[in-house]
Amino acid sequence: MSKVLVIAEHLDGKLNAATAKTVSAALALKPDSIDIAVLAADPAAVAAEAAQIAGVAKVLTVANPANAHALAQVLAPQIAKLAAGYTHVFGPSTTFGKDLMPCVAALLGTAQVSDVMSVESSHTFKRP
């Protein structure tokens, strides 16, 4: 039984295409559910876009003025709290994700698997 939380990447109220690619990678796990977390000062527009991605069960939003600028040290503690109950937390393989996800992994006390090319199973990933 796996449950995946995907962290949405966005800028100026628009969802980055990397978020949909991250959901596609998460679908390879065949999880019970995939949820997307949108952290922003005003997450409504981005959350509406995220809800349109195929395979997404639920969109979680965190509205916080501090989230206006995507800083890993601000976002990571919020994501770590959201991650309770999830077996996997996925972030995009972009500059945003590569900055954020090590901080999230450290707060969760788990190892990070980066630059995943394909998902073979819940604990087996192909990397470059």
Side-chain angles (χ1 to χ4, degrees):
M1 180 170 137
S2 61
K3 194 172 173 188
V4 178
L5 178 64
V6 172
I7 309 307
E9 180 176 357
H10 56 89
L11 182 64
D12 297 329
K14 301 284 184 205
L15 191 65
N16 186 310
T19 302
K21 291 178 183 178
T22 306
V23 170
S24 293
L27 284 168
L29 286 174
K30 297 179 179 47
D32 295 322
S33 71
I34 297 175
D35 299 340
I36 294 182
V38 178
L39 293 88
D42 181 12
V46 176
E49 278 186 77
Q52 302 302 313
I53 299 173
V56 173
K58 175 172 48 171
V59 177
L60 308 171
T61 59
V62 178
N64 183 343
N67 295 342
H69 304 287
L71 299 173
Q73 290 73 18
V74 173
L75 300 179
Q78 298 172 78
I79 293 167
K81 286 181 185 176
L82 288 175
Y86 289 91
T87 58
H88 297 78
V89 179
F90 278 40
S93 185
T94 60
T95 303
F96 168 79
K98 290 177 182 184
D99 181 46
L100 176 64
M101 297 313 289
C103 296
V104 173
L107 289 171
L108 294 175
T110 187
Q112 174 191 325
V113 179
S114 60
D115 295 325
V116 172
M117 300 298 287
S118 69
V119 177
E120 301 299 313
S121 70
S122 66
H123 292 84
T124 307
F125 308 93
K126 284 192 178 176
R127 298 180 58 224

